[in-house]
Amino acid sequence: EGGGAMAASGPERPGPGALALLGPAPGAPSCPHGPALLFVKTSQGKEKGRRFYACSACRDRKDCNFFQWEDEKVSETRLAAREEYNSNRQPPFTHRQNVDRYKNFVLLPLSKRRFCQECQQLLLPAEWDKHSDHQFLCGITTAQLKSPSQLLYPLENKKTNAQYLFADRSCQFLVNLLTDLGFRRVLSVGTPRLHEMIQSKASQEEEFSVRSLLLDIDFRYSQFYTEDEFCHYNMFNHHFFGGEAARETCRKFLCEENGERVVMVTDPPFGGLVEALASSFKKLMAMWKETEKEGDDSKEMPMFWIFPYFFESRILDFFPSFSMMDYQVDYDNHALYKHGKTGRKQSPVRIFTNLTPSMIVLPEEEGYRFCTVCQRYVSSGNQHCEMCNSCTSKDGRLWKHCVLCKKCVKPSWFHCNNCNCCTLQKHSCEKTDVGCFVCGKAGHKRSACPSLSRT
């Protein structure tokens, strides 16, 4: 909560160490980002620590310092103060008000269409005085209103919003892929630029009949989209800020046409907790399942989860039906994740999907080719390894097979006889570096230990 006496005192909080997420708990307290998540502190060799609630969306205390021990008794006064704090942190207008404001804004002549850059808000003439000492843009065109992701200032806080927006190339590729696969409705979870491209294609091309519903934590989008086009949503705790009405909008959208021809595409912040995301995505999938009248119970709602390749094992833990595609997704405003660079600078971001891999056709002009053995498209540097019997490269570079490890490894790795595995040439051969403190297995740190996330 906000400063002063309301915040938990510093030394009381758990210090550094591994945190395990226990997940969304019924009756959890709320912060401005909706219901908090329950965590437990674990430290090496010790018993599990005390359980506590913290903000679901912000991993950084500077962004939201909500904290409460699970067993803490919170006084009535503090509860009331928290209520007030949460409601003061909500946006100045409701979504409905923003929709009405937009209708009035569009009627204004170009010379009177202003956008306040400091408040990130479309201004009506009556409000100019209030914003007179702010920076604003004048003459906002219809084209600008149709591409809000370019008009709005990206919130580049990596852990909460991480608004790295798809580069045009990746966005076009996704739209074409979805259309070719015959999808008619796209649930765009945290992908404003994809939503925008689908919307503008639908308004410009008569034969284009795909619709999108954007679910995003960034409420600024409510200024540009109706309640059927945008829901204010937190993907870390599956919270609809618009309550039951917004949840129903989402459910209806998924369930039209008997739930056929709908796909979910999501691009979460990479600093986010995989298990919290997986839990929300499973709830969205369950929402879709509610309508499936007849047929197969094991069917899953089609989904594309866009995330870095090094999270592959974590994602497959939660969604065993998913597989990772070789397509490199790149971003406009991200220095590292740009396409076409070689070596370490290639984008590590991939598409994970539960669709049959052979259906995902990747552009041959960008060097992707079809591997007939693996029955999927792979990047040009990804060679089929006879010994592994698969195309093994994860990062676009040519990997090499290690006979001792019985698997392919990165080209820069060498087999170390001390560690009995392949690793970087410059590394310290200490056994403690290799294993996880919690379960002793190699390949992950204790904070990412799968045995913790399943408690």
Side-chain angles (χ1 to χ4, degrees):
E1 297 106 41
M6 281 196 296
S9 53
E12 272 273 37
R13 295 178 171 191
L19 294 184
L21 172 68
L22 299 173
S30 283
C31 72
H33 303 94
L37 294 177
L38 187 59
F39 293 88
V40 64
K41 169 82 191 305
T42 58
S43 43
Q44 197 182 344
K46 292 205 188 106
E47 282 300 292
K48 285 264 168 79
R50 202 169 158 197
R51 291 145 66 116
F52 64 90
Y53 291 105
C55 174
S56 59
C58 307
R59 302 262 61 74
D60 194 332
R61 287 270 158 76
K62 287 198 292 288
D63 301 313
C64 179
N65 67 358
F66 182 85
F67 180 90
Q68 183 190 312
W69 293 110
E70 187 191 27
D71 52 14
E72 188 180 339
K73 285 276 171 277
V74 184
S75 69
E76 288 301 318
T77 352
R78 221 175 115 204
L79 281 176
R82 180 184 289 172
E83 261 322 274
E84 192 186 352
Y85 177 83
N86 289 352
S87 66
N88 287 342
R89 286 292 174 288
Q90 294 315 311
F93 298 105
T94 63
H95 192 165
R96 176 64 48 82
Q97 287 170 319
N98 271 338
V99 173
D100 290 339
R101 292 166 57 79
Y102 183 85
K103 286 178 188 155
N104 292 328
F105 190 88
V106 182
L107 298 173
L108 295 170
L110 209 54
S111 61
K112 294 200 166 166
R113 288 191 192 173
R114 289 187 184 179
F115 175 76
C116 177
Q117 286 181 291
E118 284 174 52
C119 304
Q120 293 287 290
Q121 199 180 301
L122 298 172
L123 297 181
L124 297 171
E127 298 155 347
W128 288 359
D129 282 355
K130 265 207 318 234
H131 300 258
S132 57
D133 51 351
H134 292 181
Q135 293 270 310
F136 49 79
L137 297 171
C138 298
I140 303 296
T141 63
T142 307
Q144 281 174 296
L145 293 173
K146 294 277 177 239
S147 29
S149 74
Q150 321 238 352
L151 181 64
L152 298 168
Y153 170 83
L155 305 168
E156 289 185 4
N157 168 324
K158 284 187 186 51
K159 294 187 172 143
T160 314
N161 300 87
Q163 284 184 329
Y164 296 115
L165 303 163
F166 292 144
D168 223 35
R169 158 192 164 269
S170 288
C171 209
Q172 288 283 356
F173 164 75
L174 282 167
V175 173
N176 295 341
L177 177 63
L178 298 172
T179 325
D180 293 345
L181 289 168
F183 291 113
R184 287 278 174 268
R185 298 187 311 294
V186 181
L187 186 67
S188 304
V189 184
T191 57
R193 196 157 271 184
L194 178 69
H195 173 73
E196 197 169 283
M197 191 176 276
I198 291 172
Q199 296 275 75
S200 79
K201 266 176 133 39
S203 66
Q204 285 160 17
E205 306 167 22
E206 264 178 54
E207 68 287 357
F208 186 84
S209 54
V210 182
R211 287 185 301 124
S212 168
L213 171 64
L214 176 63
L215 266 47
D216 203 292
I217 197 162
D218 185 355
F219 191 68
R220 298 176 303 171
Y221 285 106
S222 68
Q223 302 178 83
F224 305 91
Y225 299 123
T226 65
E227 287 141 307
D228 290 334
E229 298 168 321
F230 169 76
C231 296
H232 189 203
Y233 175 77
N234 178 349
M235 66 171 99
F236 290 106
N237 59 4
H238 187 60
H239 177 64
F240 286 88
F241 293 85
E244 214 30 69
R247 175 183 289 275
E248 187 51 25
T249 298
C250 178
R251 198 194 61 77
K252 274 200 180 121
F253 183 81
L254 293 177
C255 298
E256 271 175 50
E257 289 191 55
N258 258 349
E260 293 294 313
R261 305 226 245 175
V262 67
V263 61
M264 171 174 151
V265 183
T266 183
D267 180 37
F270 304 150
L273 290 157
V274 176
E275 49 266 66
L277 295 167
S279 157
S280 297
F281 299 161
K282 285 185 169 159
K283 286 174 181 158
L284 288 168
M285 286 175 146
M287 221 184 232
W288 169 81
K289 251 194 151 50
E290 284 174 27
T291 44
E292 251 212 307
K293 307 286 184 292
E294 68 286 335
D296 186 6
D297 242 11
S298 62
K299 250 171 83 176
E300 283 182 342
M301 173 168 78
M303 184 167 137
F304 289 147
W305 179 342
I306 293 161
F307 225 51
Y309 69 80
F310 35 82
F311 283 102
E312 181 180 25
S313 62
R314 303 286 292 126
I315 290 179
L316 299 188
D317 276 347
F318 296 105
F319 292 106
S321 63
F322 280 35
S323 48
M324 184 174 88
M325 304 295 99
D326 268 20
Y327 183 79
Q328 296 189 9
V329 179
D330 54 323
Y331 295 80
D332 257 1
N333 51 337
H334 198 299
L336 296 176
Y337 299 169
K338 285 277 204 288
H339 176 67
K341 303 254 175 67
T342 49
R344 300 295 293 151
K345 285 287 177 277
Q346 296 188 29
S347 170
V349 186
R350 302 288 180 270
I351 297 171
F352 293 87
T353 182
N354 51 3
L355 298 177
T356 312
S358 58
M359 293 164 66
I360 315 293
V361 179
L362 303 186
E364 287 178 8
E365 66 278 7
E366 286 179 24
Y368 298 101
R369 59 181 177 80
F370 191 72
C371 171
T372 46
V373 190
C374 295
Q375 282 293 298
R376 68 181 183 99
Y377 277 81
V378 294
S379 67
S380 48
N382 195 355
Q383 273 187 12
H384 191 86
C385 169
E386 297 296 332
M387 287 169 278
C388 296
N389 194 24
S390 80
C391 294
T392 47
S393 166
K394 306 284 184 196
D395 63 7
R397 298 180 292 169
L398 178 60
W399 284 24
K400 57 184 185 187
H401 190 85
C402 170
V403 197
L404 297 168
C405 290
K406 297 190 174 63
K407 64 176 186 184
C408 286
V409 296
K410 293 183 175 181
S412 52
W413 285 18
F414 293 89
H415 194 86
C416 168
N417 293 325
N418 280 345
C419 299
N420 196 19
C421 68
C422 282
T423 179
L424 285 166
Q425 215 164 7
K426 289 193 174 78
H427 72 282
S428 50
C429 295
E430 289 159 41
K431 269 282 175 255
T432 50
D433 282 358
V434 180
C436 154
F437 287 140
V438 182
C439 68
K441 291 197 183 119
H444 61 264
K445 295 195 184 78
R446 57 186 178 181
S447 54
C449 181
S451 67
L452 288 179
S453 57
R454 297 212 183 84
T455 32

